[in-house]
Structures are given as structure tokens and as C-alpha cells.
PDB file of all heavy atoms in Angstrom:
ATOM      1  N   LEU A   3      52.384 139.582  22.050  1.00  0.00           N
ATOM      2  CA  LEU A   3      51.423 138.884  21.191  1.00  0.00           C
ATOM      3  C   LEU A   3      50.134 139.685  21.038  1.00  0.00           C
ATOM      4  O   LEU A   3      49.529 139.715  19.975  1.00  0.00           O
ATOM      5  CB  LEU A   3      51.080 137.505  21.763  1.00  0.00           C
ATOM      6  CG  LEU A   3      52.170 136.455  21.766  1.00  0.00           C
ATOM      7  CD1 LEU A   3      51.670 135.184  22.432  1.00  0.00           C
ATOM      8  CD2 LEU A   3      52.639 136.169  20.363  1.00  0.00           C
ATOM      9  N   GLY A   4      49.736 140.321  22.114  1.00  0.00           N
ATOM     10  CA  GLY A   4      48.459 141.029  22.136  1.00  0.00           C
ATOM     11  C   GLY A   4      48.402 142.261  21.266  1.00  0.00           C
ATOM     12  O   GLY A   4      47.399 142.497  20.584  1.00  0.00           O
ATOM     13  N   GLU A   5      49.453 143.059  21.259  1.00  0.00           N
ATOM     14  CA  GLU A   5      49.406 144.310  20.495  1.00  0.00           C
ATOM     15  C   GLU A   5      49.268 144.080  18.988  1.00  0.00           C
ATOM     16  O   GLU A   5      48.412 144.707  18.359  1.00  0.00           O
ATOM     17  CB  GLU A   5      50.613 145.186  20.828  1.00  0.00           C
ATOM     18  CG  GLU A   5      50.498 145.806  22.204  1.00  0.00           C
ATOM     19  CD  GLU A   5      51.692 146.658  22.588  1.00  0.00           C
ATOM     20  OE1 GLU A   5      52.672 146.732  21.814  1.00  0.00           O
ATOM     21  OE2 GLU A   5      51.640 147.246  23.676  1.00  0.00           O
ATOM     22  N   PRO A   6      50.050 143.187  18.373  1.00  0.00           N
ATOM     23  CA  PRO A   6      49.842 142.946  16.935  1.00  0.00           C
ATOM     24  C   PRO A   6      48.472 142.326  16.638  1.00  0.00           C
ATOM     25  O   PRO A   6      47.857 142.635  15.623  1.00  0.00           O
ATOM     26  CB  PRO A   6      50.966 141.987  16.543  1.00  0.00           C
ATOM     27  CG  PRO A   6      51.947 142.035  17.653  1.00  0.00           C
ATOM     28  CD  PRO A   6      51.216 142.472  18.873  1.00  0.00           C
ATOM     29  N   GLN A   7      47.987 141.494  17.530  1.00  0.00           N
ATOM     30  CA  GLN A   7      46.674 140.872  17.338  1.00  0.00           C
ATOM     31  C   GLN A   7      45.575 141.934  17.405  1.00  0.00           C
ATOM     32  O   GLN A   7      44.672 141.959  16.576  1.00  0.00           O
ATOM     33  CB  GLN A   7      46.462 139.799  18.418  1.00  0.00           C
ATOM     34  CG  GLN A   7      45.320 138.872  18.141  1.00  0.00           C
ATOM     35  CD  GLN A   7      45.616 137.847  17.071  1.00  0.00           C
ATOM     36  OE1 GLN A   7      46.745 137.678  16.623  1.00  0.00           O
ATOM     37  NE2 GLN A   7      44.597 137.146  16.633  1.00  0.00           N
ATOM     38  N   GLN A   8      45.671 142.818  18.382  1.00  0.00           N
ATOM     39  CA  GLN A   8      44.707 143.921  18.510  1.00  0.00           C
ATOM     40  C   GLN A   8      44.754 144.805  17.269  1.00  0.00           C
ATOM     41  O   GLN A   8      43.715 145.218  16.747  1.00  0.00           O
ATOM     42  CB  GLN A   8      45.035 144.786  19.740  1.00  0.00           C
ATOM     43  CG  GLN A   8      44.921 144.083  21.046  1.00  0.00           C
ATOM     44  CD  GLN A   8      43.499 144.079  21.580  1.00  0.00           C
ATOM     45  OE1 GLN A   8      42.558 143.907  20.829  1.00  0.00           O
ATOM     46  NE2 GLN A   8      43.366 144.258  22.867  1.00  0.00           N
ATOM     47  N   ALA A   9      45.952 145.117  16.795  1.00  0.00           N
ATOM     48  CA  ALA A   9      46.109 145.976  15.613  1.00  0.00           C
ATOM     49  C   ALA A   9      45.479 145.310  14.391  1.00  0.00           C
ATOM     50  O   ALA A   9      44.838 145.986  13.576  1.00  0.00           O
ATOM     51  CB  ALA A   9      47.584 146.284  15.369  1.00  0.00           C
ATOM     52  N   PHE A  10      45.628 144.001  14.265  1.00  0.00           N
ATOM     53  CA  PHE A  10      45.033 143.278  13.139  1.00  0.00           C
ATOM     54  C   PHE A  10      43.505 143.337  13.208  1.00  0.00           C
ATOM     55  O   PHE A  10      42.840 143.628  12.203  1.00  0.00           O
ATOM     56  CB  PHE A  10      45.522 141.827  13.128  1.00  0.00           C
ATOM     57  CG  PHE A  10      44.958 141.002  12.008  1.00  0.00           C
ATOM     58  CD1 PHE A  10      45.244 141.311  10.688  1.00  0.00           C
ATOM     59  CD2 PHE A  10      44.143 139.915  12.275  1.00  0.00           C
ATOM     60  CE1 PHE A  10      44.722 140.545   9.633  1.00  0.00           C
ATOM     61  CE2 PHE A  10      43.623 139.143  11.240  1.00  0.00           C
ATOM     62  CZ  PHE A  10      43.913 139.466   9.919  1.00  0.00           C
ATOM     63  N   ILE A  11      42.942 143.103  14.374  1.00  0.00           N
ATOM     64  CA  ILE A  11      41.491 143.152  14.535  1.00  0.00           C
ATOM     65  C   ILE A  11      40.975 144.564  14.231  1.00  0.00           C
ATOM     66  O   ILE A  11      39.964 144.722  13.538  1.00  0.00           O
ATOM     67  CB  ILE A  11      41.077 142.682  15.949  1.00  0.00           C
ATOM     68  CG1 ILE A  11      41.358 141.177  16.087  1.00  0.00           C
ATOM     69  CG2 ILE A  11      39.605 142.990  16.231  1.00  0.00           C
ATOM     70  CD1 ILE A  11      41.233 140.634  17.499  1.00  0.00           C
ATOM     71  N   GLN A  12      41.669 145.585  14.705  1.00  0.00           N
ATOM     72  CA  GLN A  12      41.249 146.961  14.412  1.00  0.00           C
ATOM     73  C   GLN A  12      41.347 147.257  12.916  1.00  0.00           C
ATOM     74  O   GLN A  12      40.490 147.928  12.351  1.00  0.00           O
ATOM     75  CB  GLN A  12      42.065 147.964  15.221  1.00  0.00           C
ATOM     76  CG  GLN A  12      41.730 147.967  16.696  1.00  0.00           C
ATOM     77  CD  GLN A  12      40.231 148.078  16.954  1.00  0.00           C
ATOM     78  OE1 GLN A  12      39.552 148.921  16.389  1.00  0.00           O
ATOM     79  NE2 GLN A  12      39.709 147.202  17.811  1.00  0.00           N
ATOM     80  N   PHE A  13      42.391 146.767  12.270  1.00  0.00           N
ATOM     81  CA  PHE A  13      42.532 146.929  10.825  1.00  0.00           C
ATOM     82  C   PHE A  13      41.328 146.307  10.114  1.00  0.00           C
ATOM     83  O   PHE A  13      40.739 146.915   9.204  1.00  0.00           O
ATOM     84  CB  PHE A  13      43.835 146.284  10.345  1.00  0.00           C
ATOM     85  CG  PHE A  13      43.948 146.180   8.855  1.00  0.00           C
ATOM     86  CD1 PHE A  13      44.326 147.277   8.093  1.00  0.00           C
ATOM     87  CD2 PHE A  13      43.668 144.989   8.203  1.00  0.00           C
ATOM     88  CE1 PHE A  13      44.419 147.188   6.713  1.00  0.00           C
ATOM     89  CE2 PHE A  13      43.762 144.887   6.823  1.00  0.00           C
ATOM     90  CZ  PHE A  13      44.136 145.995   6.075  1.00  0.00           C
ATOM     91  N   LEU A  14      40.945 145.094  10.513  1.00  0.00           N
ATOM     92  CA  LEU A  14      39.797 144.429   9.891  1.00  0.00           C
ATOM     93  C   LEU A  14      38.523 145.234  10.088  1.00  0.00           C
ATOM     94  O   LEU A  14      37.732 145.399   9.153  1.00  0.00           O
ATOM     95  CB  LEU A  14      39.621 143.020  10.461  1.00  0.00           C
ATOM     96  CG  LEU A  14      40.748 142.035  10.169  1.00  0.00           C
ATOM     97  CD1 LEU A  14      40.505 140.728  10.909  1.00  0.00           C
ATOM     98  CD2 LEU A  14      40.907 141.802   8.679  1.00  0.00           C
ATOM     99  N   ARG A  15      38.322 145.746  11.285  1.00  0.00           N
ATOM    100  CA  ARG A  15      37.124 146.548  11.564  1.00  0.00           C
ATOM    101  C   ARG A  15      37.103 147.812  10.695  1.00  0.00           C
ATOM    102  O   ARG A  15      36.063 148.183  10.147  1.00  0.00           O
ATOM    103  CB  ARG A  15      37.064 146.923  13.030  1.00  0.00           C
ATOM    104  CG  ARG A  15      36.920 145.717  13.949  1.00  0.00           C
ATOM    105  CD  ARG A  15      36.161 146.063  15.200  1.00  0.00           C
ATOM    106  NE  ARG A  15      36.302 145.082  16.242  1.00  0.00           N
ATOM    107  CZ  ARG A  15      35.773 143.862  16.221  1.00  0.00           C
ATOM    108  NH1 ARG A  15      35.099 143.455  15.181  1.00  0.00           N
ATOM    109  NH2 ARG A  15      35.924 143.047  17.241  1.00  0.00           N
ATOM    110  N   GLN A  16      38.247 148.472  10.580  1.00  0.00           N
ATOM    111  CA  GLN A  16      38.319 149.687   9.765  1.00  0.00           C
ATOM    112  C   GLN A  16      38.053 149.377   8.285  1.00  0.00           C
ATOM    113  O   GLN A  16      37.366 150.140   7.602  1.00  0.00           O
ATOM    114  CB  GLN A  16      39.682 150.349   9.928  1.00  0.00           C
ATOM    115  CG  GLN A  16      39.896 150.950  11.291  1.00  0.00           C
ATOM    116  CD  GLN A  16      41.343 151.308  11.568  1.00  0.00           C
ATOM    117  OE1 GLN A  16      42.236 150.979  10.798  1.00  0.00           O
ATOM    118  NE2 GLN A  16      41.582 151.961  12.692  1.00  0.00           N
ATOM    119  N   GLU A  17      38.595 148.278   7.806  1.00  0.00           N
ATOM    120  CA  GLU A  17      38.395 147.925   6.406  1.00  0.00           C
ATOM    121  C   GLU A  17      36.953 147.492   6.128  1.00  0.00           C
ATOM    122  O   GLU A  17      36.415 147.783   5.055  1.00  0.00           O
ATOM    123  CB  GLU A  17      39.388 146.841   5.977  1.00  0.00           C
ATOM    124  CG  GLU A  17      40.820 147.340   5.932  1.00  0.00           C
ATOM    125  CD  GLU A  17      41.012 148.515   4.968  1.00  0.00           C
ATOM    126  OE1 GLU A  17      40.511 148.450   3.828  1.00  0.00           O
ATOM    127  OE2 GLU A  17      41.663 149.496   5.359  1.00  0.00           O
ATOM    128  N   SER A  18      36.310 146.819   7.082  1.00  0.00           N
ATOM    129  CA  SER A  18      34.893 146.486   6.918  1.00  0.00           C
ATOM    130  C   SER A  18      34.062 147.765   6.842  1.00  0.00           C
ATOM    131  O   SER A  18      33.148 147.878   6.012  1.00  0.00           O
ATOM    132  CB  SER A  18      34.394 145.605   8.071  1.00  0.00           C
ATOM    133  OG  SER A  18      34.924 144.307   7.977  1.00  0.00           O
ATOM    134  N   ALA A  19      34.380 148.733   7.707  1.00  0.00           N
ATOM    135  CA  ALA A  19      33.676 150.025   7.676  1.00  0.00           C
ATOM    136  C   ALA A  19      33.927 150.739   6.350  1.00  0.00           C
ATOM    137  O   ALA A  19      33.010 151.319   5.759  1.00  0.00           O
ATOM    138  CB  ALA A  19      34.118 150.895   8.848  1.00  0.00           C
ATOM    139  N   ARG A  20      35.151 150.672   5.875  1.00  0.00           N
ATOM    140  CA  ARG A  20      35.485 151.294   4.582  1.00  0.00           C
ATOM    141  C   ARG A  20      34.699 150.646   3.447  1.00  0.00           C
ATOM    142  O   ARG A  20      34.195 151.333   2.558  1.00  0.00           O
ATOM    143  CB  ARG A  20      36.988 151.169   4.340  1.00  0.00           C
ATOM    144  CG  ARG A  20      37.452 151.828   3.077  1.00  0.00           C
ATOM    145  CD  ARG A  20      38.958 151.728   2.961  1.00  0.00           C
ATOM    146  NE  ARG A  20      39.389 152.326   1.714  1.00  0.00           N
ATOM    147  CZ  ARG A  20      40.596 152.216   1.219  1.00  0.00           C
ATOM    148  NH1 ARG A  20      41.523 151.555   1.881  1.00  0.00           N
ATOM    149  NH2 ARG A  20      40.905 152.776   0.079  1.00  0.00           N
ATOM    150  N   ASP A  21      34.585 149.315   3.470  1.00  0.00           N
ATOM    151  CA  ASP A  21      33.798 148.619   2.453  1.00  0.00           C
ATOM    152  C   ASP A  21      32.347 149.109   2.462  1.00  0.00           C
ATOM    153  O   ASP A  21      31.752 149.322   1.409  1.00  0.00           O
ATOM    154  CB  ASP A  21      33.824 147.109   2.674  1.00  0.00           C
ATOM    155  CG  ASP A  21      35.134 146.470   2.248  1.00  0.00           C
ATOM    156  OD1 ASP A  21      35.974 147.160   1.616  1.00  0.00           O
ATOM    157  OD2 ASP A  21      35.326 145.277   2.549  1.00  0.00           O
ATOM    158  N   SER A  22      31.789 149.286   3.653  1.00  0.00           N
ATOM    159  CA  SER A  22      30.414 149.775   3.754  1.00  0.00           C
ATOM    160  C   SER A  22      30.272 151.175   3.165  1.00  0.00           C
ATOM    161  O   SER A  22      29.316 151.466   2.452  1.00  0.00           O
ATOM    162  CB  SER A  22      29.943 149.774   5.213  1.00  0.00           C
ATOM    163  OG  SER A  22      29.741 148.457   5.650  1.00  0.00           O
ATOM    164  N   ILE A  23      31.247 152.025   3.441  1.00  0.00           N
ATOM    165  CA  ILE A  23      31.216 153.380   2.896  1.00  0.00           C
ATOM    166  C   ILE A  23      31.303 153.338   1.374  1.00  0.00           C
ATOM    167  O   ILE A  23      30.583 154.062   0.673  1.00  0.00           O
ATOM    168  CB  ILE A  23      32.352 154.230   3.496  1.00  0.00           C
ATOM    169  CG1 ILE A  23      32.054 154.508   4.972  1.00  0.00           C
ATOM    170  CG2 ILE A  23      32.544 155.541   2.731  1.00  0.00           C
ATOM    171  CD1 ILE A  23      33.231 155.082   5.746  1.00  0.00           C
ATOM    172  N   LEU A  24      32.177 152.483   0.846  1.00  0.00           N
ATOM    173  CA  LEU A  24      32.318 152.374  -0.606  1.00  0.00           C
ATOM    174  C   LEU A  24      31.035 151.877  -1.275  1.00  0.00           C
ATOM    175  O   LEU A  24      30.746 152.243  -2.417  1.00  0.00           O
ATOM    176  CB  LEU A  24      33.486 151.451  -0.961  1.00  0.00           C
ATOM    177  CG  LEU A  24      34.879 151.986  -0.622  1.00  0.00           C
ATOM    178  CD1 LEU A  24      35.932 150.911  -0.838  1.00  0.00           C
ATOM    179  CD2 LEU A  24      35.198 153.226  -1.445  1.00  0.00           C
ATOM    180  N   LEU A  25      30.268 151.067  -0.568  1.00  0.00           N
ATOM    181  CA  LEU A  25      29.005 150.577  -1.115  1.00  0.00           C
ATOM    182  C   LEU A  25      27.930 151.661  -1.119  1.00  0.00           C
ATOM    183  O   LEU A  25      26.950 151.560  -1.866  1.00  0.00           O
ATOM    184  CB  LEU A  25      28.511 149.364  -0.329  1.00  0.00           C
ATOM    185  CG  LEU A  25      29.281 148.073  -0.533  1.00  0.00           C
ATOM    186  CD1 LEU A  25      28.841 147.031   0.487  1.00  0.00           C
ATOM    187  CD2 LEU A  25      29.084 147.560  -1.947  1.00  0.00           C
ATOM    188  N   GLY A  26      28.100 152.661  -0.270  1.00  0.00           N
ATOM    189  CA  GLY A  26      27.128 153.754  -0.204  1.00  0.00           C
ATOM    190  C   GLY A  26      25.744 153.246   0.141  1.00  0.00           C
ATOM    191  O   GLY A  26      25.580 152.379   0.994  1.00  0.00           O
ATOM    192  N   PRO A  27      24.723 153.773  -0.546  1.00  0.00           N
ATOM    193  CA  PRO A  27      23.349 153.384  -0.217  1.00  0.00           C
ATOM    194  C   PRO A  27      23.046 151.912  -0.501  1.00  0.00           C
ATOM    195  O   PRO A  27      22.072 151.376   0.011  1.00  0.00           O
ATOM    196  CB  PRO A  27      22.475 154.289  -1.092  1.00  0.00           C
ATOM    197  CG  PRO A  27      23.382 155.035  -1.994  1.00  0.00           C
ATOM    198  CD  PRO A  27      24.793 154.798  -1.569  1.00  0.00           C
ATOM    199  N   LEU A  28      23.886 151.264  -1.287  1.00  0.00           N
ATOM    200  CA  LEU A  28      23.668 149.845  -1.584  1.00  0.00           C
ATOM    201  C   LEU A  28      24.066 148.927  -0.424  1.00  0.00           C
ATOM    202  O   LEU A  28      23.739 147.736  -0.451  1.00  0.00           O
ATOM    203  CB  LEU A  28      24.452 149.443  -2.837  1.00  0.00           C
ATOM    204  CG  LEU A  28      24.073 150.151  -4.129  1.00  0.00           C
ATOM    205  CD1 LEU A  28      25.003 149.713  -5.249  1.00  0.00           C
ATOM    206  CD2 LEU A  28      22.626 149.871  -4.481  1.00  0.00           C
ATOM    207  N   GLN A  29      24.763 149.463   0.571  1.00  0.00           N
ATOM    208  CA  GLN A  29      25.276 148.614   1.644  1.00  0.00           C
ATOM    209  C   GLN A  29      24.194 147.814   2.351  1.00  0.00           C
ATOM    210  O   GLN A  29      24.428 146.698   2.796  1.00  0.00           O
ATOM    211  CB  GLN A  29      26.086 149.428   2.640  1.00  0.00           C
ATOM    212  CG  GLN A  29      25.279 150.411   3.456  1.00  0.00           C
ATOM    213  CD  GLN A  29      26.132 151.150   4.441  1.00  0.00           C
ATOM    214  OE1 GLN A  29      26.723 150.537   5.315  1.00  0.00           O
ATOM    215  NE2 GLN A  29      26.203 152.454   4.288  1.00  0.00           N
ATOM    216  N   ASN A  30      22.990 148.355   2.433  1.00  0.00           N
ATOM    217  CA  ASN A  30      21.917 147.640   3.130  1.00  0.00           C
ATOM    218  C   ASN A  30      21.427 146.414   2.371  1.00  0.00           C
ATOM    219  O   ASN A  30      20.686 145.608   2.918  1.00  0.00           O
ATOM    220  CB  ASN A  30      20.756 148.591   3.419  1.00  0.00           C
ATOM    221  CG  ASN A  30      21.158 149.637   4.438  1.00  0.00           C
ATOM    222  OD1 ASN A  30      21.984 149.380   5.314  1.00  0.00           O
ATOM    223  ND2 ASN A  30      20.603 150.825   4.317  1.00  0.00           N
ATOM    224  N   LEU A  31      21.844 146.268   1.132  1.00  0.00           N
ATOM    225  CA  LEU A  31      21.468 145.091   0.354  1.00  0.00           C
ATOM    226  C   LEU A  31      22.333 143.877   0.681  1.00  0.00           C
ATOM    227  O   LEU A  31      22.003 142.756   0.308  1.00  0.00           O
ATOM    228  CB  LEU A  31      21.584 145.383  -1.147  1.00  0.00           C
ATOM    229  CG  LEU A  31      20.686 146.492  -1.697  1.00  0.00           C
ATOM    230  CD1 LEU A  31      21.012 146.743  -3.163  1.00  0.00           C
ATOM    231  CD2 LEU A  31      19.219 146.133  -1.516  1.00  0.00           C
ATOM    232  N   PHE A  32      23.452 144.115   1.360  1.00  0.00           N
ATOM    233  CA  PHE A  32      24.418 143.051   1.617  1.00  0.00           C
ATOM    234  C   PHE A  32      24.416 142.648   3.081  1.00  0.00           C
ATOM    235  O   PHE A  32      24.776 143.439   3.951  1.00  0.00           O
ATOM    236  CB  PHE A  32      25.821 143.506   1.205  1.00  0.00           C
ATOM    237  CG  PHE A  32      25.940 143.795  -0.257  1.00  0.00           C
ATOM    238  CD1 PHE A  32      25.791 145.081  -0.735  1.00  0.00           C
ATOM    239  CD2 PHE A  32      26.175 142.774  -1.158  1.00  0.00           C
ATOM    240  CE1 PHE A  32      25.883 145.359  -2.088  1.00  0.00           C
ATOM    241  CE2 PHE A  32      26.265 143.025  -2.512  1.00  0.00           C
ATOM    242  CZ  PHE A  32      26.117 144.322  -2.986  1.00  0.00           C
ATOM    243  N   SER A  33      24.034 141.408   3.348  1.00  0.00           N
ATOM    244  CA  SER A  33      24.126 140.927   4.725  1.00  0.00           C
ATOM    245  C   SER A  33      25.592 140.635   5.030  1.00  0.00           C
ATOM    246  O   SER A  33      26.359 140.261   4.145  1.00  0.00           O
ATOM    247  CB  SER A  33      23.280 139.669   4.912  1.00  0.00           C
ATOM    248  OG  SER A  33      23.773 138.624   4.120  1.00  0.00           O
ATOM    249  N   GLY A  34      25.979 140.841   6.253  1.00  0.00           N
ATOM    250  CA  GLY A  34      27.347 140.564   6.662  1.00  0.00           C
ATOM    251  C   GLY A  34      28.331 141.683   6.407  1.00  0.00           C
ATOM    252  O   GLY A  34      29.518 141.528   6.633  1.00  0.00           O
ATOM    253  N   ARG A  35      27.852 142.831   5.967  1.00  0.00           N
ATOM    254  CA  ARG A  35      28.779 143.928   5.664  1.00  0.00           C
ATOM    255  C   ARG A  35      29.512 144.408   6.908  1.00  0.00           C
ATOM    256  O   ARG A  35      30.614 144.906   6.818  1.00  0.00           O
ATOM    257  CB  ARG A  35      28.042 145.076   4.986  1.00  0.00           C
ATOM    258  CG  ARG A  35      27.076 145.778   5.907  1.00  0.00           C
ATOM    259  CD  ARG A  35      26.248 146.830   5.211  1.00  0.00           C
ATOM    260  NE  ARG A  35      25.336 147.456   6.142  1.00  0.00           N
ATOM    261  CZ  ARG A  35      24.216 146.915   6.572  1.00  0.00           C
ATOM    262  NH1 ARG A  35      23.862 145.723   6.164  1.00  0.00           N
ATOM    263  NH2 ARG A  35      23.440 147.552   7.433  1.00  0.00           N
ATOM    264  N   GLU A  36      28.900 144.239   8.096  1.00  0.00           N
ATOM    265  CA  GLU A  36      29.525 144.702   9.340  1.00  0.00           C
ATOM    266  C   GLU A  36      30.778 143.914   9.690  1.00  0.00           C
ATOM    267  O   GLU A  36      31.611 144.377  10.450  1.00  0.00           O
ATOM    268  CB  GLU A  36      28.553 144.613  10.524  1.00  0.00           C
ATOM    269  CG  GLU A  36      27.258 145.343  10.347  1.00  0.00           C
ATOM    270  CD  GLU A  36      26.135 144.432   9.867  1.00  0.00           C
ATOM    271  OE1 GLU A  36      26.417 143.380   9.229  1.00  0.00           O
ATOM    272  OE2 GLU A  36      24.975 144.777  10.112  1.00  0.00           O
ATOM    273  N   TYR A  37      30.896 142.723   9.152  1.00  0.00           N
ATOM    274  CA  TYR A  37      32.031 141.857   9.488  1.00  0.00           C
ATOM    275  C   TYR A  37      32.675 141.254   8.242  1.00  0.00           C
ATOM    276  O   TYR A  37      33.321 140.214   8.303  1.00  0.00           O
ATOM    277  CB  TYR A  37      31.591 140.745  10.448  1.00  0.00           C
ATOM    278  CG  TYR A  37      30.394 139.949   9.991  1.00  0.00           C
ATOM    279  CD1 TYR A  37      30.535 138.876   9.125  1.00  0.00           C
ATOM    280  CD2 TYR A  37      29.115 140.288  10.432  1.00  0.00           C
ATOM    281  CE1 TYR A  37      29.439 138.149   8.706  1.00  0.00           C
ATOM    282  CE2 TYR A  37      28.009 139.568  10.018  1.00  0.00           C
ATOM    283  CZ  TYR A  37      28.173 138.495   9.149  1.00  0.00           C
ATOM    284  OH  TYR A  37      27.086 137.781   8.739  1.00  0.00           O
ATOM    285  N   SER A  38      32.543 141.913   7.103  1.00  0.00           N
ATOM    286  CA  SER A  38      33.013 141.335   5.847  1.00  0.00           C
ATOM    287  C   SER A  38      34.504 141.007   5.861  1.00  0.00           C
ATOM    288  O   SER A  38      34.907 139.935   5.428  1.00  0.00           O
ATOM    289  CB  SER A  38      32.680 142.258   4.667  1.00  0.00           C
ATOM    290  OG  SER A  38      33.322 143.508   4.802  1.00  0.00           O
ATOM    291  N   CYS A  39      35.325 141.916   6.353  1.00  0.00           N
ATOM    292  CA  CYS A  39      36.773 141.652   6.353  1.00  0.00           C
ATOM    293  C   CYS A  39      37.165 140.630   7.412  1.00  0.00           C
ATOM    294  O   CYS A  39      38.071 139.820   7.182  1.00  0.00           O
ATOM    295  CB  CYS A  39      37.545 142.960   6.520  1.00  0.00           C
ATOM    296  SG  CYS A  39      37.434 143.988   5.029  1.00  0.00           S
ATOM    297  N   GLU A  40      36.507 140.658   8.556  1.00  0.00           N
ATOM    298  CA  GLU A  40      36.780 139.655   9.583  1.00  0.00           C
ATOM    299  C   GLU A  40      36.497 138.257   9.030  1.00  0.00           C
ATOM    300  O   GLU A  40      37.267 137.321   9.233  1.00  0.00           O
ATOM    301  CB  GLU A  40      35.924 139.920  10.832  1.00  0.00           C
ATOM    302  CG  GLU A  40      36.271 141.190  11.568  1.00  0.00           C
ATOM    303  CD  GLU A  40      35.508 142.428  11.095  1.00  0.00           C
ATOM    304  OE1 GLU A  40      35.164 142.526   9.892  1.00  0.00           O
ATOM    305  OE2 GLU A  40      35.277 143.310  11.934  1.00  0.00           O
ATOM    306  N   LEU A  41      35.378 138.142   8.295  1.00  0.00           N
ATOM    307  CA  LEU A  41      35.002 136.853   7.712  1.00  0.00           C
ATOM    308  C   LEU A  41      35.976 136.444   6.609  1.00  0.00           C
ATOM    309  O   LEU A  41      36.405 135.289   6.554  1.00  0.00           O
ATOM    310  CB  LEU A  41      33.573 136.919   7.169  1.00  0.00           C
ATOM    311  CG  LEU A  41      33.053 135.653   6.490  1.00  0.00           C
ATOM    312  CD1 LEU A  41      33.103 134.458   7.437  1.00  0.00           C
ATOM    313  CD2 LEU A  41      31.639 135.889   5.980  1.00  0.00           C
ATOM    314  N   LYS A  42      36.347 137.366   5.737  1.00  0.00           N
ATOM    315  CA  LYS A  42      37.266 137.033   4.642  1.00  0.00           C
ATOM    316  C   LYS A  42      38.634 136.586   5.170  1.00  0.00           C
ATOM    317  O   LYS A  42      39.234 135.652   4.633  1.00  0.00           O
ATOM    318  CB  LYS A  42      37.446 138.233   3.721  1.00  0.00           C
ATOM    319  CG  LYS A  42      36.230 138.560   2.890  1.00  0.00           C
ATOM    320  CD  LYS A  42      36.518 139.819   2.076  1.00  0.00           C
ATOM    321  CE  LYS A  42      35.278 140.481   1.569  1.00  0.00           C
ATOM    322  NZ  LYS A  42      35.574 141.746   0.895  1.00  0.00           N
TER     323      LYS A  42
END
């Protein structure tokens, strides 16, 4: 149970980081960007 759950959480973290990179300098305008995928 733990390994797929860990992989999912890591996937969310990576995708949130990717979203921030895609936003570039605008990322600081968005609150919650650090956890956007976890929240979604």
C-alpha cells in the first residue's frame, strides 16, 4: 500500500514544481503554487 501511495505523492510534488516552472516569473503572483497539484 505504501509504495504506490508514496509514488503518487511524489508525482504530485513533481507536477506542482513543474507548474511553478511553467509559470516562470509570474509564479509569485499565485498563492498555493507550492501545493497546487496536491490540492487539485
Side-chain angles (χ1 to χ4, degrees):
L3 292 177
E5 287 179 357
Q7 194 75 10
Q8 296 276 40
F10 180 64
I11 291 170
Q12 289 310 312
F13 170 80
L14 295 174
R15 296 210 196 290
Q16 291 166 352
E17 292 301 314
S18 289
R20 183 177 178 191
D21 284 351
S22 288
I23 290 168
L24 291 172
L25 288 170
L28 298 176
Q29 68 178 298
N30 292 329
L31 298 175
F32 297 95
S33 64
R35 68 185 180 283
E36 304 96 335
Y37 52 84
S38 62
C39 289
E40 293 90 328
L41 178 58
K42 289 177 199 175

